[in-house]
């Protein structure tokens, strides 16, 4: 028979373990604060679609959505919608890019514009470049973007280290097979070749990419074909301007492709949601939410949107929030969700990763191609509301422009 003293010691050990586990949970909760998804009910909504191009426009405090696919038959959209934090508004610019799906879009603070590249139609892949200035789509008529033979994938990302929007082709050599990046930077008129990374071991197809809290370009996910079967991969790559690095971190999100990935302009924290997973036997559409803080992955364990793939996902606004729109499971969706990410918000008054480059040099905010603005590392509360916001940055831009 078990002694009373033994039972008492066992209970004490159990209590200690529970307290220890609670402390770890509380530390994690304190680090990230309260995280939650909220389904939005805007007065206006874009039609259902998957594969749209989407990105935040911090200069105008909006998120821009273009194109996408209407249905599984492949009918394409060529419309432009703006999310202002509360509602969607369809824009009717003088010129629209041709309809497409799966185009890439990134904000260029050097130009104060969104850059959109490529995508696909029934006729094949596109290699055109467009800019959104907040009102109109403009095609700068650049020298054609390179159409590299044998490329596996292409990414469009803002590189905080290069201070450019970069176009990254993933290419491979056949025997022995190695992969490498070929990189081009956008200067407002043409794509300037930046070089190649040293050959690396396997770089998957269909990864998603963004920047991270350490000013690197971060890639995650992808898929691979083994014996005629697709596998979702949990591969993670980091490129900071030199060699491609393959960090080993645990835990990390499950392998996936056709997922969403975006980064906070303010803290650089990178968010991953959803996508398609396959382990070679079972297929699964995911609905989990993860955050990369520059050093480790964290599963947020929050309820949110139903499982989906090929959706629009972009960081938005002054707070730590991300916008999710549409996508597909069995049907094509047109719902709008906002992820509120708690903790580690920028409360020290420092500018976000775009702000130093958002100091406008003239009234319309357009910088000549190839020029760089003066850099400032600290903002101030100019309008007296107790916060450093986009309104303060615009006032700062005006003061600098008038004073220079």
């Amino acid at each position: 028979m078990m002694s009373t003293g033994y039972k008492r010691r066992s209970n004490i050990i159990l209590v200690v373990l529970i307290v220890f586990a609670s402390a770890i949970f509380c530390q994690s909760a304190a680090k990230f604060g309260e995280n939650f998804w909220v389904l939005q009910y805007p007065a206006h909504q874009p039609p259902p679609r998957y594969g749209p191009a989407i990105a935040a426009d911090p200069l105008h405090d909006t998120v821009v959505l273009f194109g996408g696919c209407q249905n599984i038959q492949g009918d394409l959209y060529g419309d432009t919608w703006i999310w202002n934090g509360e509602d969607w508004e369809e824009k009717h610019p003088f010129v629209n890019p041709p309809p497409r799906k799966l185009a890439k879009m990134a904000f260029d603070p050097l130009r104060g514009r969104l850059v959109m590249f490529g995508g696909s139609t029934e006729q094949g892949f596109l290699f055109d470049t467009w800019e959104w200035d907040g009102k109109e789509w403009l095609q700068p008529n650049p020298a054609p973007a390179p159409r590299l033979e044998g490329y596996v994938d292409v990414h469009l990302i803002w590189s905080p280290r290069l201070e450019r929007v970069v176009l990254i082709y993933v290419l491979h050599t056949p025997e022995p097979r190695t992969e490498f990046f070929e990189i081009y930077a956008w200067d407002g008129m043409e794509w300037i070749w930046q070089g190649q990374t040293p050959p690396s071991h396997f770089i998957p197809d269909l990864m998603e990419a963004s920047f991270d809290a350490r000013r690197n370009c971060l890639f995650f996910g992808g898929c691979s074909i083994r014996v005629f079967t697709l596998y979702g991969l949990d591969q993670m790559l980091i490129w900071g301007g030199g060699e491609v690095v393959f960090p080993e971190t645990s835990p990390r999100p499950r392998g996936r492709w056709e997922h969403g990935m975006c980064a906070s302009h303010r803290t650089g924290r990178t968010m991953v949601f959803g996508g398609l997973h396959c382990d070679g036997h079972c297929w699964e559409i995911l609905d989990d939410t993860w955050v990369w803080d520059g050093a480790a992955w964290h599963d947020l364990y929050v309820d949110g949107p139903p499982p989906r793939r090929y959706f629009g996902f972009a960081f938005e606004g002054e707070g730590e929030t991300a916008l999710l729109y549409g996508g597909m499971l069995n049907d094509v969706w047109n719902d709008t969700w906002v992820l509120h990410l708690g903790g580690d918000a920028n409360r020290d008054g420092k500018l976000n990763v775009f702000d130093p480059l958002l100091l406008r040099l003239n009234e319309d905010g357009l910088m000549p191609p190839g020029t760089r603005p003066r850099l400032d590392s600290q903002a101030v509360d100019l309008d007296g509301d107790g916060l450093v916001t986009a309104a303060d940055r615009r006032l700062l831009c005006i003061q600098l422009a008038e004073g220079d």
Side-chain angles (χ1 to χ4, degrees):
M1 181 178 294
M2 188 177 297
S3 68
T4 304
Y6 180 82
K7 289 183 178 180
R8 185 179 296 112
R9 287 193 298 272
S10 299
N11 291 337
I12 292 173
I13 292 172
L14 180 60
V15 170
V16 170
L17 289 175
I18 292 173
V19 171
F20 180 72
S22 300
I24 293 176
F25 177 82
C26 290
Q27 284 181 346
S28 177
K31 180 177 179 60
F32 286 95
E34 186 178 4
N35 312 287
F36 54 94
W37 284 97
V38 178
L39 176 62
Q40 306 295 298
Y41 296 93
H44 307 88
Q45 194 98 303
R49 68 191 66 204
Y50 67 92
I54 190 170
D57 180 354
L59 187 62
H60 300 95
D61 296 325
T62 59
V63 174
V64 179
L65 180 144
F66 177 82
C69 202
Q70 303 180 31
N71 46 46
I72 59 175
Q73 287 74 35
D75 298 321
L76 299 177
Y77 286 113
D79 52 352
T80 303
W81 290 80
I82 303 295
W83 172 258
N84 63 12
E86 297 180 355
D87 197 9
W88 288 100
E89 178 186 358
E90 184 174 7
K91 294 294 185 180
H92 301 280
F94 184 73
V95 176
N96 261 320
R100 65 193 66 200
K101 63 179 178 180
L102 302 176
K104 308 292 185 178
M105 191 185 293
F107 181 67
D108 182 359
L110 286 175
R111 304 272 292 156
R113 293 177 174 180
L114 285 169
V115 181
M116 184 173 71
F117 175 80
S120 65
T121 68
E122 289 184 350
Q123 287 70 45
F125 295 104
L126 301 172
F127 293 86
D128 52 347
T129 304
W130 294 79
E131 289 186 334
W132 173 258
D133 67 358
K135 296 180 180 179
E136 298 288 342
W137 284 106
L138 308 168
Q139 192 169 27
N141 296 318
R147 302 186 181 212
L148 301 182
E149 295 295 330
Y151 78 90
V152 178
D153 211 346
V154 63
H155 302 279
L156 187 73
I157 320 169
W158 166 253
S159 169
R161 289 185 182 271
L162 297 182
E163 295 182 353
R164 298 282 183 177
V165 170
V166 293
L167 183 65
I168 300 178
Y169 286 91
V170 182
L171 296 104
H172 67 85
T173 58
E175 295 294 338
R177 175 160 179 154
T178 58
E179 274 87 10
F180 59 92
F181 289 158
E182 182 149 325
I183 301 151
Y184 296 80
W186 178 245
D187 76 344
M189 288 299 294
E190 60 181 333
W191 293 101
I192 309 297
W193 186 69
Q194 302 293 299
Q196 296 176 344
T197 61
S200 305
H201 64 279
F202 180 63
I203 298 177
D205 302 350
L206 301 179
M207 301 186 86
E208 291 294 330
S210 186
F211 56 84
D212 73 359
R214 297 186 176 181
R215 295 166 56 83
N216 297 310
C217 293
L218 173 70
F219 302 79
F220 180 78
C223 65
S224 173
I225 299 178
R226 307 175 198 167
V227 196
F228 306 105
T229 302
L230 279 171
Y231 286 79
L233 302 177
D234 62 355
Q235 184 72 275
M236 178 179 172
L237 315 180
I238 292 177
W239 176 71
E243 295 187 6
V244 178
V245 179
F246 297 78
E248 294 294 334
T249 63
S250 182
R252 66 169 69 190
R254 296 166 66 189
R256 69 194 67 204
W257 70 101
E258 299 173 0
H259 52 292
M261 182 168 168
C262 65
S264 161
H265 309 150
R266 184 170 292 277
T267 63
R269 289 189 292 178
T270 306
M271 289 154 275
V272 167
F273 176 81
L276 178 60
H277 170 80
C278 183
D279 60 5
H281 303 284
C282 300
W283 295 76
E284 182 181 357
I285 310 296
L286 304 174
D287 62 353
D288 51 345
T289 307
W290 289 75
V291 171
W292 169 255
D293 64 5
W297 287 102
H298 303 269
D299 190 342
L300 298 187
Y301 297 106
V302 289
D303 293 329
R308 66 190 66 203
R309 58 195 181 105
Y310 280 139
F311 48 89
F313 195 39
F315 187 77
E316 59 143 6
E318 287 293 320
E320 291 283 270
T321 58
L323 177 74
L324 183 150
Y325 175 79
M328 66 181 300
L329 182 56
N330 299 319
D331 297 318
V332 181
W333 303 79
N334 73 330
D335 51 347
T336 302
W337 292 78
V338 170
L339 170 63
H340 296 261
L341 191 61
D344 286 352
N346 182 27
R347 298 186 179 94
D348 58 5
K350 291 183 179 179
L351 294 170
N352 66 40
V353 296
F354 284 152
D355 286 321
L357 302 176
L358 283 174
L359 303 181
R360 306 276 47 99
L361 299 186
N362 54 42
E363 183 176 355
D364 63 6
L366 178 62
M367 300 187 62
T371 63
R372 292 174 182 266
R374 70 184 268 185
L375 299 180
D376 284 68
S377 61
Q378 194 77 15
V380 292
D381 176 22
L382 295 177
D383 60 7
D385 66 354
L387 300 172
V388 178
T389 65
D392 298 305
R393 293 196 291 276
R394 293 195 186 95
L395 290 173
L396 179 61
C397 294
I398 294 171
Q399 291 183 5
L400 289 173
E402 291 177 346
D404 287 342

